[in-house]
Amino acid sequence: MFELPDHHTAHYFLTAGETDAQGLMPMTLIIARCIEAATEHANILGIGYDALKEHGIGWVLARISVEMQRYPKINERYSLTTWIEGLNRLYSDRCFELCDAEGHAIGHIRSMWIAIDMEQRTAADLTVLDLSRFPISDRRCPGPKPRKLPPLTDPKETEYTFRYTDIDFNRHVNTVQYVRVILNQWSMQFFDTHRITHFDMAFHQECHYADTVAVKVNEDGPEARCEIVKSDGTRAVAASLKVISNE
Amino acid sequence: MFELPDHHTAHYFLTAGETDAQGLMPMTLIIARCIEAATEHANILGIGYDALKEHGIGWVLARISVEMQRYPKINERYSLTTWIEGLNRLYSDRCFELCDAEGHAIGHIRSMWIAIDMEQRTAADLTVLDLSRFPISDRRCPGPKPRKLPPLTDPKETEYTFRYTDIDFNRHVNTVQYVRVILNQWSMQFFDTHRITHFDMAFHQECHYADTVAVKVNEDGPEARCEIVKSDGTRAVAASLKVISNE
């Protein structure tokens, strides 16, 4: 049998139009590129959306933790290598290393993917798939595993309503749009004077078109926290940011 | 001298995470890919942002007109070919052909780029550049040139405030974010039952972080129109959409 590659590397160039106001790779694009590279690797392995669809199941991102030492700059080349670090009946752990043009690691990302039954929208059993198509890599992602993100106490609160461009083919809100809504809780002055070193997200419930959600922010202590809460009070998404000052 | 390529082709794959709610390539991504392919070709020709920066000038997109016969679907490969169709002292006309995996053209895009003085934010003279680096192609983009978009009469009006993720390294609103704001003036039901055949945009004034703009929409007749108007009453962006019913 053709040997399945236990990792996949994609190469990119950060164009001017893709940068944030600081001329750096934005967190929205980091997460979009991770999902893209994961999709490419899964397709090569024969465990992509198309393969899962035959079983009536689909991949859903449940957790993502980004740790950045440095961000690619405008006109900089970078690569993203992804591999599967672990697997059980319910989820697959996929990691990423973001490298500069010289191959030095400047970021590490961990993600946890679950398979859901597309009709019932409930967790599916990964063992219905050919598990030999999940080559577990020996590579290890440095840094701690994601922690629980407890509910916020006494947060600031604003509202957001999801619209057409927030929704993808799954008919729920696209991951990158949650990141966009969360980042926009902070001011330009904040991003001009700080850099995110850790960005951690947990996805609990799907949001849909026209849902109006509460966006809650708590900035006490060294860590900023954000929650997207549905109108029935259930938590859709939780995030935590650690930042350092540029000065 | 090394012969400059009079066109450039980039190849892409439409991932699940990139699609809109209809499972198709969204207009935001079409315009982002055009800017990306244009940037790549300009860099190859030595007339990219880096080359212009030495003269204190930079490229700004002034007009873009998209005409789509069909949209790439989820998991579909597509390519984008770009070339320079004309040039004068003030602007450069750049066109694009979007092809499916078999090489059949399914979309055509015209764009007009002006060079601006980065300090003064006024139009710059392109003849300061080496004009031999602008290989005018014999290719022709079918379809009409963009028309004037007159002011709207009696529009519906909402407000939008630009935030961190709307801004790029130029410290003004990124083109793709204007497209996002404009598309979101229509409902999901509209996009489920209609397909955009023509999308035309003109960029008049830059918007900045924290600007609150009026977003005006007029849907009388076969063509929908949208305007983004700054608080001082000047028009920042104008757009027109022609759609056909899916039924």
Side-chain angles (χ1 to χ4, degrees):
Chain A
M1 185 186 149
F2 158 72
E3 202 173 331
L4 294 171
D6 77 350
H7 67 283
H8 171 70
T9 300
H11 295 269
Y12 302 102
F13 175 80
L14 188 69
T15 65
E18 288 175 335
T19 60
D20 67 6
Q22 290 72 41
L24 302 175
M25 185 175 186
M27 190 58 71
T28 40
L29 185 60
I30 292 172
I31 291 177
R33 291 299 193 203
C34 286
I35 295 170
E36 192 180 309
T39 302
E40 285 171 8
H41 192 207
N43 285 342
I44 292 167
L45 296 174
I47 52 169
Y49 289 98
D50 264 5
L52 268 67
K53 210 162 63 178
E54 291 170 29
H55 299 276
I57 61 181
W59 286 118
V60 169
L61 182 61
R63 290 296 300 252
I64 191 160
S65 302
V66 180
E67 191 175 339
M68 295 298 289
Q69 280 83 54
R70 179 173 87 68
Y71 287 83
K73 292 189 185 74
I74 185 168
N75 292 334
E76 192 174 334
R77 288 184 192 283
Y78 62 97
S79 68
L80 196 58
T81 296
T82 179
W83 64 92
I84 301 171
E85 196 162 296
L87 180 72
N88 67 25
R89 187 173 283 274
L90 286 177
Y91 59 86
S92 164
D93 276 321
R94 182 177 271 287
C95 299
F96 304 83
E97 188 176 72
L98 200 156
C99 291
D100 65 16
E102 282 74 45
H104 301 302
I106 57 174
H108 291 96
I109 299 104
R110 281 179 181 280
S111 65
M112 191 174 103
W113 297 74
I114 55 170
I116 61 158
D117 181 298
M118 297 300 271
E119 285 281 314
Q120 311 277 332
R121 312 304 287 180
T122 52
D125 189 333
L126 282 174
T127 57
V128 299
L129 302 170
D130 174 5
L131 293 189
S132 72
R133 295 198 163 272
F134 289 76
I136 309 295
S137 173
D138 290 336
R139 289 167 188 253
R140 283 291 165 264
C141 197
K145 294 223 173 186
R147 298 151 303 125
K148 291 257 181 228
L149 298 172
L152 299 187
T153 49
D154 195 24
K156 281 190 306 182
E157 194 171 326
T158 54
E159 262 189 11
Y160 183 83
T161 302
F162 293 106
R163 308 186 83 157
Y164 161 69
T165 60
D166 295 321
I167 311 297
D168 67 24
F169 79 108
N170 271 315
R171 305 293 286 196
H172 58 223
V173 172
N174 183 277
T175 305
V176 177
Q177 301 306 323
Y178 291 121
V179 183
R180 186 178 61 77
V181 170
I182 290 168
L183 294 177
N184 282 337
Q185 302 308 306
W186 284 271
S187 70
M188 187 61 79
Q189 200 248 333
F190 176 84
F191 288 105
D192 280 337
T193 54
H194 294 80
R195 202 173 72 239
I196 300 172
T197 57
H198 295 80
F199 188 75
D200 203 350
M201 282 179 94
F203 304 92
H204 302 288
Q205 288 280 328
E206 298 166 352
C207 293
H208 301 92
Y209 175 71
D211 281 357
T212 295
V213 292
V215 186
K216 303 185 180 190
V217 174
N218 188 319
E219 294 186 82
D220 282 349
E223 184 180 347
R225 291 279 314 281
C226 186
E227 261 179 8
I228 295 177
V229 178
K230 300 181 81 160
S231 57
D232 65 1
T234 57
R235 181 153 87 165
V237 178
S240 114
L241 291 80
K242 286 188 196 160
V243 300
I244 57 168
S245 166
N246 286 335
E247 280 129 33
Chain B
M1 185 187 151
F2 158 71
E3 202 173 333
L4 294 171
D6 77 350
H7 66 282
H8 171 71
T9 301
H11 296 268
Y12 302 101
F13 175 79
L14 187 70
T15 66
E18 288 175 336
T19 60
D20 67 5
Q22 289 72 40
L24 303 175
M25 185 175 186
M27 189 58 71
T28 41
L29 185 60
I30 291 172
I31 291 178
R33 291 299 194 204
C34 287
I35 294 170
E36 193 180 308
T39 302
E40 285 171 7
H41 191 208
N43 285 342
I44 291 166
L45 297 174
I47 51 170
Y49 288 98
D50 266 5
L52 268 66
K53 209 163 65 177
E54 291 171 28
H55 299 277
I57 61 180
W59 287 118
V60 169
L61 183 60
R63 290 295 301 251
I64 190 160
S65 301
V66 180
E67 192 176 338
M68 296 298 289
Q69 279 84 53
R70 178 173 87 70
Y71 288 83
K73 292 189 185 75
I74 186 168
N75 291 335
E76 192 174 335
R77 290 185 191 283
Y78 63 97
S79 68
L80 196 57
T81 296
T82 179
W83 64 91
I84 301 172
E85 197 163 296
L87 181 72
N88 68 25
R89 187 174 284 274
L90 286 177
Y91 59 86
S92 164
D93 276 321
R94 183 177 270 288
C95 299
F96 304 83
E97 188 177 73
L98 201 156
C99 291
D100 64 16
E102 282 74 45
H104 301 303
I106 57 173
H108 291 95
I109 299 105
R110 282 179 181 279
S111 65
M112 192 176 102
W113 296 75
I114 56 170
I116 62 157
D117 182 298
M118 296 301 270
E119 285 282 314
Q120 311 278 332
R121 312 305 286 179
T122 53
D125 188 333
L126 282 174
T127 59
V128 301
L129 302 170
D130 174 4
L131 294 189
S132 73
R133 295 197 163 272
F134 289 76
I136 310 295
S137 173
D138 291 334
R139 288 168 187 252
R140 285 290 164 265
C141 198
K145 294 223 173 187
R147 300 150 302 125
K148 291 257 181 229
L149 299 171
L152 299 187
T153 48
D154 195 24
K156 280 190 309 181
E157 194 171 326
T158 54
E159 262 188 10
Y160 184 82
T161 301
F162 292 106
R163 308 187 83 158
Y164 161 70
T165 59
D166 295 321
I167 312 296
D168 66 25
F169 79 108
N170 272 315
R171 305 294 285 197
H172 59 224
V173 172
N174 182 277
T175 305
V176 177
Q177 301 306 323
Y178 291 121
V179 183
R180 187 178 61 76
V181 170
I182 290 168
L183 294 177
N184 282 337
Q185 302 309 307
W186 284 270
S187 70
M188 187 61 79
Q189 200 248 333
F190 176 83
F191 289 103
D192 280 338
T193 53
H194 294 80
R195 201 173 72 239
I196 300 172
T197 57
H198 296 80
F199 188 75
D200 202 350
M201 282 179 92
F203 303 92
H204 301 287
Q205 289 280 327
E206 297 167 352
C207 294
H208 301 93
Y209 176 72
D211 281 357
T212 295
V213 292
V215 186
K216 302 184 179 191
V217 174
N218 188 320
E219 291 185 85
D220 282 349
E223 184 181 347
R225 291 277 316 281
C226 184
E227 261 180 8
I228 295 177
V229 178
K230 300 180 81 159
S231 57
D232 65 2
T234 57
R235 181 153 87 166
V237 177
S240 112
L241 290 79
K242 285 188 198 161
V243 300
I244 56 168
S245 167
N246 284 335
E247 280 131 32

